[in-house]
């Protein structure tokens, strides 16, 4: 247990994805399972140095993965990533963009002279966090903009509010839908079709995670709360209150020893 922020995992995967998307950088990594594993582990190391207050040295990281990679190998990969990305390491994550969208929604509602319950804002933020963390684990989202993932998650969250029996919550959902439509039109988001596709993919990913969680399986290293009903609003709120640990699972693809780092 390293007591790391869950967002550090998303930052690490963003760094790894950007490195892998550059053909001139990834050609020595993409077909080499060992190097791919080293890349992701080193990206997490870089993310920790950028975002965390704790200090994890290269020797500590090497020991944490059972000595699979030496400190020298980790350091060389770190320099390769830094130079390959030209030290541009602060690409916004889906959660960071999503929080900005929520602030834009708040400003839009203020212009409309309406307010919504604080509990509704809490639910939106926690649901956004949950779905953004799930997206980190899916390859399908590596090619999508962070703003697209964030908007899709917020659309899902608002739709869940529409299923609530509370009249005030239903009114909140309608006001939020109007505000979100205004925000999406005002700024350069992807098309409605792309956003809805992302929304649907996030829904399906969540259902898969819940099904995976209900069946004991070592390959299902799910970090969702223990429940089968994701779309139950009270359950989601309680699960977010207790927190969901972030997991980076660097799985072997060629008989190599797998390892996991849990925040």
């Amino acid at each position: 247990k390293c007591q790391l922020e869950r967002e550090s995992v998303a930052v690490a995967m963003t760094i790894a994805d950007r490195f892998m998307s550059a053909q001139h950088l990834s050609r020595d990594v993409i077909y080499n399972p060992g190097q791919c594993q080293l890349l992701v582990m080193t990206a997490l190391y870089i993310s920790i140095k950028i975002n965390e207050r704790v200090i994890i040295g290269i020797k500590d990281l090497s020991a944490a993965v059972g000595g699979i990679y030496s400190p020298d190998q980790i350091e060389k990969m770190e320099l390769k990533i830094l130079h390959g990305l030209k030290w541009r390491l602060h690409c916004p994550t889906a959660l960071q963009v999503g929080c900005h969208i929520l602030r834009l929604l708040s400003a839009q509602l203020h212009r409309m002279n309406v307010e919504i319950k604080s509990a509704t804002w809490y639910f939106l933020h926690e649901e956004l966090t949950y779905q953004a963390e799930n997206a980190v684990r899916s390859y399908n989202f590596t090619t999508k903009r962070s703003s697209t993932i964030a908007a899709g998650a917020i659309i899902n969250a608002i739709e869940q509010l529409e299923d609530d029996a509370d009249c005030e919550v239903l009114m909140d959902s309608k006001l939020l839908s109007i505000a979100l439509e205004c925000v999406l039109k005002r700024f350069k988001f992807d098309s409605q079709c792309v956003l809805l596709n992302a929304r649907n993919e996030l829904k399906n990913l969540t259902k898969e995670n819940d099904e995976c969680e209900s069946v004991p399986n070592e390959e299902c290293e799910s970090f969702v709360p223990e429940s089968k009903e994701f779309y139950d609003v009270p359950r989601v709120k309680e699960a977010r209150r207790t927190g969901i640990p972030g997991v980076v699972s660097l799985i072997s693809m060629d008989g190599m020893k797998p390892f996991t780092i849990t925040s």
Side-chain angles (χ1 to χ4, degrees):
K1 300 288 184 178
C2 301
Q3 300 298 318
L4 305 178
E5 293 291 335
R6 297 190 302 241
E7 186 68 354
S8 293
V9 177
V11 173
M13 294 311 299
T14 298
I15 292 172
D17 289 339
R18 290 172 57 217
F19 184 90
M20 293 287 284
S21 66
Q23 187 174 3
H24 69 288
L25 297 174
S26 63
R27 57 173 174 263
D28 296 330
V29 175
I30 194 168
Y31 297 114
N32 187 322
Q35 287 296 301
C36 186
Q37 194 177 58
L38 176 61
L39 168 67
V40 176
M41 186 187 73
T42 306
L44 178 62
Y45 174 62
I46 294 173
S47 176
I48 291 172
K49 292 207 292 186
I50 293 173
N51 299 290
E52 300 288 349
R53 296 183 180 181
V54 299
I55 298 175
I56 298 180
I58 290 183
K59 291 182 179 179
D60 297 326
L61 185 61
S62 178
V65 299
I68 297 175
Y69 300 104
S70 67
D72 184 59
Q73 288 176 302
I74 297 172
E75 184 175 10
K76 287 181 179 179
M77 178 58 75
E78 180 184 12
L79 291 174
K80 188 174 183 179
I81 292 173
L82 294 176
H83 291 305
L85 297 181
K86 298 180 179 179
W87 294 80
R88 295 172 180 171
L89 306 173
H90 296 278
C91 183
T93 65
L95 178 57
Q96 292 168 347
V97 176
C99 289
H100 187 61
I101 294 175
L102 292 182
R103 286 192 287 269
L104 292 174
L105 290 180
S106 178
Q108 179 63 34
L109 290 170
H110 180 72
R111 283 192 288 271
M112 295 163 57
N113 293 319
V114 294
E115 295 183 359
I116 64 175
K117 296 165 59 177
S118 59
T120 301
W121 284 118
Y122 174 83
F123 172 75
L124 287 177
H125 181 268
E126 294 301 298
E127 192 58 41
L128 166 65
T129 301
Y130 178 72
Q131 294 190 48
E133 289 175 352
N134 274 341
V136 172
R137 307 174 67 225
S138 174
Y139 173 78
N140 293 333
F141 289 104
T142 60
T143 58
K144 290 182 171 56
R145 297 165 59 185
S146 296
S147 59
T148 298
I149 299 171
I154 292 174
I155 292 172
N156 276 338
I158 293 175
E159 287 182 351
Q160 291 178 56
L161 291 172
E162 295 173 357
D163 296 330
D164 198 290
D166 189 319
C167 293
E168 290 186 11
V169 175
L170 288 174
M171 180 57 67
D172 285 349
S173 69
K174 295 182 183 300
L175 293 172
L176 284 166
S177 295
I178 295 172
L180 181 60
E181 184 178 358
C182 294
V183 170
L184 294 179
K185 288 181 179 179
R186 187 182 309 148
F187 298 94
K188 294 182 179 179
F189 287 88
D190 281 330
S191 67
Q192 183 178 9
C193 179
V194 174
L195 295 180
L196 292 179
N197 284 337
R199 183 273 309 270
N200 291 333
E201 287 185 36
L202 285 167
K203 275 187 177 180
N204 293 334
L205 180 61
T206 299
K207 291 180 181 178
E208 290 173 4
N209 285 343
D210 288 344
E211 292 172 359
C212 181
E213 183 189 41
S214 65
V215 179
N217 189 327
E218 291 182 357
E219 294 181 0
C220 295
E221 296 181 302
S222 178
F223 52 89
V224 297
E226 295 183 0
S227 174
K228 298 178 181 178
E229 297 296 332
F230 167 67
Y231 294 108
D232 176 50
V233 173
R235 183 206 63 76
V236 174
K237 290 182 180 179
E238 178 61 28
R240 304 304 184 276
R241 193 176 295 111
T242 57
I244 307 170
V247 176
V248 175
S249 181
L250 308 181
I251 302 299
S252 166
M253 292 181 284
D254 191 25
M256 298 175 59
K257 181 181 178 182
F259 55 86
T260 300
I261 298 177
T262 306
S263 63

